[in-house]
Amino acid sequence: MKSNIYVHQTLHGYRDGHRLLAASTSLPAKSDHTIVVLSDLSGHSVVSEFDEYITGYPVPEMSAYALAKTWLAPEMPRPGCVWTHTLLIPFATLASIRSLKLLTNYFIRPNEDNVELFKQPVSQEKVLTATNLGQDTSVDGMAMSQILYDLYTSPIAPILVPTILPRLVEDSFFNIWSQQWPRLRRSFTFCTGAISGRRLGGKWFDLQGIPIKRVEEIARSINNAIVSRIEPDTSEIASIPWLVTATRDLLDDMGDLRDFLFEYGVEAEKGRSDFVPLTELFIALGDPLDSDANNLLRPMELAFPHFINGGKFKERLLSGKIGNTALQMPDTRLQILLESGENTFNTSDEMLQLLAEEAWHHNPESVISTINTALESKKDPPRNIIAAIAASISPNDVGINARQFESAMLAFAEHQPMILANSVFQGIPARNSILLDHLSKPKITANDVFTILQQWFEERDTEALEEAIKRNPKCTVPIILDTLNSGKSSDDHWLSSSILHQMISNHSEHATKWFYQNFVNLESQVSTVHTIAHVAASINDSDLRIDKKYSGSWEYLLSGPHNLDPDLRKTIMLKLFLRSMTVPIEEGARIATVTFPFVYRLPMKSQLSYSEWHALRNELGSYNWYLDWDWDKCRRLTEELIDRFKRYDWPICYFSTMLERDAELASFLKHTRFYKSTYEKFIDRLSDWKE
């Protein structure tokens, strides 16, 4: 502490009235008036034994605290005259003195001969030399507890302490004042010898020692005053934890509570009201058996109700730098954060993230349970806390028990939807909606899309897959098809026609590419035959490849053992028949003769719709196709087939193979008038081969 800082002093006494007699500094007008009033006799008349007393009160205009000692001056000619020596202690100096009782060592009883002494300031360095002065242990512990209880449980009431002699309460008053943190110290008002009630700026002093014989009179004159006496029921308050701790600190000067109050009381703003919650905070932090976060949360919210209060305390609490072992556990600290009021903490995103990660790795079930309890009790945790926890959770960390904490997991999923891409949450109504919204985001990663779709594949959730294709076909269709191609799905029969149609119509280019990748070795792709057939039925006729590479696969697909839907099979047969009739190479004949018997029977059995017949007629009609009788349709189809054999010089073996398999068609060719047509040579060759 710099030695050139001084504690100023004043002397007041009688000289044609009570007035300022000497001062080491000039006083502002308001301060001058206050000190004059409070340095005079503390009542209207003298009371025996109350011939000297101490008064303390703030002088904010000077950023100082006035500590004054008053002596009755019987040597003066006028009765009731007093001398008052006042020390004007800078607020910063007041905060630097552990035991304020030492300040009484610097009081000097004035007289007419030493007035000049008070015109010089006292060196602050000199004031601070006796900081090791101990507490006075001669005080009555029970009386001390009663005063503490009254003072801090009725924080706006003036407390009156009856005494026969001001000196008897002096040590108690100074001990209480010394225990207070600096901010409370400099606003605290007291008088050890108030002959009448004392006030400052219209407010009654906090603590006043009063003559026993004037208790009733003074109590009546002060509204809401509490007379602090040791009553028969005083023992009932003796076991109150905060009071026991505070009293022990005063009597034993243990220092821990006082150090705590000094460090964290700086941000407490409600004066005496903050003493009990701060002391309870101290107790909750230190009790190794207390793991209940609520025992800390309640007093903390009383002392520091808003994030602008108690920033240092809250930062150290959440970072695990203070408190017992239980409070240093990250999940307990997170619980405190979650269960606190909405504006209690103002934590940075970095601190939140760090705490969330620590808590999740330490005890994930405790974290989820805490969030779930808060949500189900309609006490919504702040979104930034939920977001920080969600960011700490890996979807792989979600255990089988997470389903019982549905509310919490859905809250986390709003910030990290991928948490729900787990079979644990199958069946939760909101789950697919959240995942679908995530799929719709333009910046979703391919890995997230893959994981979500894989989950729905495993669950065979056709509704979710169908909606996913609607929302984001560009990302979902290739992955669904690739999943089928990878063999990760045991079969594809559960895929609905609606899903398959959407996949192909929304991503035809990829569907066609996927189709031919799998079609080469169709016999080894049994699990995807259902999808392959749908793609085959949907791709453009011009994209149907009929050559040596794929002919065997076409025959295998159409062979019939795959339980294809009849309408799907019909569509493929018609498309392939039409396409084969345009392929002049040998494979065209091969596919044409595979599909022709099926197509031939359709009109015979009245299974060919008008639109289908119209399509055939437009594509193949090189003869008179105006006749619409069913038997004539069969004849026209046969003429077209024979025409292709002649036009493309297809190997006759394919036609004969078809006849061998189809006696009905062979009979038709042998016994109709078509036998004598322009194709007679062709038919003769068939007959010769047949015979």
Side-chain angles (χ1 to χ4, degrees):
M1 190 70 65
K2 295 181 180 180
S3 59
N4 61 350
I5 299 178
Y6 297 96
V7 173
H8 288 287
Q9 54 185 337
T10 65
L11 172 63
H12 288 76
Y14 182 79
R15 187 175 294 168
D16 294 328
H18 184 76
R19 66 182 61 217
L20 176 66
L21 301 179
S24 63
T25 186
S26 59
L27 303 177
K30 184 175 181 180
S31 300
D32 186 21
H33 175 73
T34 299
I35 297 173
V36 166
V37 172
L38 292 176
S39 63
D40 203 353
L41 186 66
S42 62
H44 301 297
S45 61
V46 176
V47 174
S48 61
E49 304 300 332
F50 273 64
D51 53 354
E52 62 180 72
Y53 53 85
I54 295 175
T55 306
Y57 55 92
V59 185
E61 306 82 34
M62 301 182 70
S63 297
Y65 190 91
L67 185 66
K69 184 161 186 177
T70 300
W71 293 266
L72 197 63
E75 68 271 25
M76 291 295 175
R78 187 169 180 268
C81 291
V82 295
W83 297 101
T84 297
H85 178 199
T86 303
L87 297 172
L88 296 171
I89 308 160
F91 286 154
T93 303
L94 194 71
S96 304
I97 304 172
R98 184 173 183 85
S99 177
L100 295 169
K101 180 65 185 297
L102 70 90
L103 292 170
T104 61
N105 294 335
Y106 300 98
F107 287 129
I108 300 173
R109 190 190 189 288
N111 57 58
E112 290 289 353
D113 298 326
N114 64 3
V115 172
E116 294 300 316
L117 291 176
F118 302 97
K119 294 182 179 181
Q120 300 298 321
V122 181
S123 169
Q124 181 170 265
E125 186 175 39
K126 182 180 178 181
V127 172
L128 297 174
T129 54
T131 55
N132 292 323
L133 183 67
Q135 298 288 85
D136 189 326
T137 57
S138 65
V139 297
D140 184 339
M142 189 65 73
M144 186 82 77
S145 291
Q146 185 65 54
I147 297 172
L148 286 172
Y149 179 82
D150 293 334
L151 187 66
Y152 294 127
T153 58
S154 302
I156 62 173
I159 306 302
L160 308 179
V161 181
T163 182
I164 59 174
L165 193 66
R167 190 167 56 253
L168 295 180
V169 297
E170 188 174 297
D171 288 336
S172 295
F173 282 23
F174 269 93
N175 286 350
I176 290 171
W177 188 36
S178 296
Q179 188 181 50
Q180 295 172 350
W181 55 95
R183 190 169 190 169
L184 179 55
R185 279 183 176 186
R186 66 180 186 238
S187 64
F188 190 66
T189 53
F190 69 94
C191 180
T192 62
I195 299 172
S196 298
R198 311 209 76 180
R199 70 175 84 194
L200 175 66
K203 180 182 177 183
W204 295 107
F205 271 31
D206 294 299
L207 186 61
Q208 303 180 63
I210 60 173
I212 289 179
K213 54 188 175 184
R214 288 197 175 184
V215 170
E216 300 300 328
E217 175 190 343
I218 296 175
R220 282 196 304 270
S221 68
I222 302 175
N223 293 332
N224 303 318
I226 293 177
V227 178
S228 186
R229 330 173 189 245
I230 301 177
E231 303 289 355
D233 61 351
T234 299
S235 58
E236 295 181 8
I237 69 172
S239 60
I240 299 174
W242 74 263
L243 188 58
V244 171
T245 300
T247 304
R248 185 184 300 121
D249 178 82
L250 285 178
L251 296 176
D252 300 337
D253 191 23
M254 298 299 291
D256 290 345
L257 172 62
R258 196 163 311 187
D259 291 342
F260 178 85
L261 295 175
F262 264 60
E263 185 164 10
Y264 300 113
V266 64
E267 294 185 85
E269 297 180 337
K270 298 187 297 295
R272 285 160 53 187
S273 298
D274 291 321
F275 187 90
V276 174
L278 282 174
T279 305
E280 289 178 339
L281 264 184
F282 170 78
I283 296 170
L285 289 173
D287 187 352
L289 301 178
D290 189 356
S291 60
D292 188 352
N294 288 318
N295 289 338
L296 179 141
L297 194 58
R298 186 191 63 80
M300 184 187 70
E301 290 185 333
L302 288 174
F304 307 125
H306 196 268
F307 67 79
I308 62 174
N309 311 121
K312 180 180 180 181
F313 174 84
K314 293 171 183 177
E315 186 278 329
R316 298 194 70 193
L317 176 67
L318 292 185
S319 60
K321 295 178 181 177
I322 55 174
N324 58 37
T325 303
L327 290 172
Q328 291 179 15
M329 293 296 101
D331 51 320
T332 305
R333 288 184 276 130
L334 185 63
Q335 181 184 356
I336 291 171
L337 186 63
L338 289 167
E339 294 184 2
S340 62
E342 182 178 356
N343 295 315
T344 303
F345 289 92
N346 183 26
T347 51
S348 66
D349 291 340
E350 293 78 10
M351 175 177 281
L352 272 180
Q353 190 62 51
L354 179 62
L355 178 56
E357 289 175 0
E358 289 180 6
W360 180 260
H361 292 304
H362 177 259
N363 192 341
E365 187 163 332
S366 174
V367 173
I368 301 176
S369 178
T370 300
I371 294 290
N372 206 68
T373 300
L375 290 169
E376 291 184 349
S377 63
K378 307 303 182 184
K379 185 178 181 180
D380 294 337
R383 286 183 59 83
N384 60 341
I385 298 177
I386 297 291
I389 298 172
S392 305
I393 303 174
S394 166
N396 296 328
D397 293 338
V398 179
I400 194 68
N401 295 327
R403 178 64 186 272
Q404 65 181 305
F405 305 116
E406 180 178 322
S407 297
M409 299 312 298
L410 288 176
F412 295 148
E414 290 185 13
H415 303 277
Q416 193 192 158
M418 292 306 296
I419 294 171
L420 298 181
N422 188 301
S423 58
V424 171
F425 304 108
Q426 184 178 4
I428 294 180
R431 177 244 199 164
N432 282 0
S433 175
I434 294 173
L435 290 177
L436 285 167
D437 287 342
H438 187 51
L439 277 174
S440 303
K441 294 179 180 177
K443 294 185 179 181
I444 187 172
T445 65
N447 186 60
D448 281 1
V449 176
F450 179 80
T451 302
I452 294 172
L453 296 178
Q454 282 289 306
Q455 192 61 52
W456 285 334
F457 251 91
E458 292 176 8
E459 298 167 8
R460 298 196 171 187
D461 193 333
T462 56
E463 290 185 8
L465 286 170
E466 188 170 349
E467 185 62 28
I469 295 169
K470 286 181 182 178
R471 296 200 185 192
N472 195 346
K474 183 177 180 180
C475 291
T476 56
V477 171
I479 290 178
I480 293 175
L481 291 172
D482 290 343
T483 300
L484 289 168
N485 192 33
S486 67
K488 291 189 177 181
S489 178
S490 58
D491 66 78
D492 63 352
H493 282 83
W494 58 273
L495 287 171
S496 67
S497 297
S498 176
I499 289 177
L500 295 170
H501 175 74
Q502 281 194 72
M503 285 197 300
I504 297 160
S505 61
N506 283 301
H507 223 300
S508 59
E509 183 178 344
H510 191 90
T512 302
K513 181 180 178 181
W514 173 88
F515 173 81
Y516 284 111
Q517 286 175 343
N518 289 269
F519 199 55
V520 177
N521 301 307
L522 184 59
E523 293 185 41
S524 63
Q525 302 288 339
V526 177
S527 65
T528 59
V529 167
H530 180 61
T531 304
I532 286 173
H534 272 275
V535 178
S538 301
I539 60 179
N540 296 327
D541 292 355
S542 59
D543 290 329
L544 292 172
R545 301 174 191 172
I546 297 177
D547 52 32
K548 289 182 179 180
K549 186 176 181 179
Y550 300 111
S551 294
S553 295
W554 284 120
E555 287 186 334
Y556 180 76
L557 178 64
L558 301 174
S559 61
H562 314 301
N563 298 319
L564 296 181
D565 178 80
D567 290 335
L568 181 63
R569 183 179 180 82
K570 176 183 175 182
T571 300
I572 296 172
M573 285 288 191
L574 288 171
K575 288 172 68 74
L576 271 179
F577 175 69
L578 284 172
R579 181 73 178 100
S580 65
M581 297 289 276
T582 65
V583 179
I585 60 176
E586 179 179 337
E587 282 68 27
R590 181 176 177 180
I591 299 304
T593 53
V594 169
T595 56
F596 182 76
F598 181 90
V599 175
Y600 178 80
R601 287 193 188 88
L602 291 176
M604 290 182 63
K605 297 181 178 180
S606 299
Q607 294 178 345
L608 196 65
S609 68
Y610 177 81
S611 59
E612 290 167 338
W613 172 246
H614 185 73
L616 287 170
R617 185 172 62 185
N618 288 345
E619 294 293 330
L620 302 175
S622 58
Y623 291 89
N624 294 326
W625 283 70
Y626 56 87
L627 299 174
D628 281 334
W629 297 313
D630 287 341
W631 67 268
D632 194 72
K633 292 175 185 175
C634 296
R635 170 183 167 182
R636 297 305 182 197
L637 290 171
T638 305
E639 289 176 348
E640 290 295 335
L641 180 63
I642 294 173
D643 174 68
R644 296 308 186 276
F645 269 90
K646 176 182 178 182
R647 186 191 308 176
Y648 297 148
D649 196 22
W650 280 344
I652 198 65
C653 63
Y654 289 108
F655 201 101
S656 58
T657 302
M658 178 186 66
L659 293 178
E660 277 187 333
R661 293 200 306 261
D662 201 326
E664 180 183 352
L665 183 58
S667 175
F668 173 81
L669 292 172
K670 287 182 179 181
H671 298 293
T672 62
R673 59 180 180 154
F674 194 70
Y675 215 166
K676 299 297 182 181
S677 71
T678 55
Y679 300 104
E680 184 174 347
K681 182 178 180 181
F682 177 75
I683 297 304
D684 286 343
R685 288 176 59 197
L686 288 176
S687 299
D688 292 342
W689 180 86
K690 192 69 176 173
E691 292 173 359

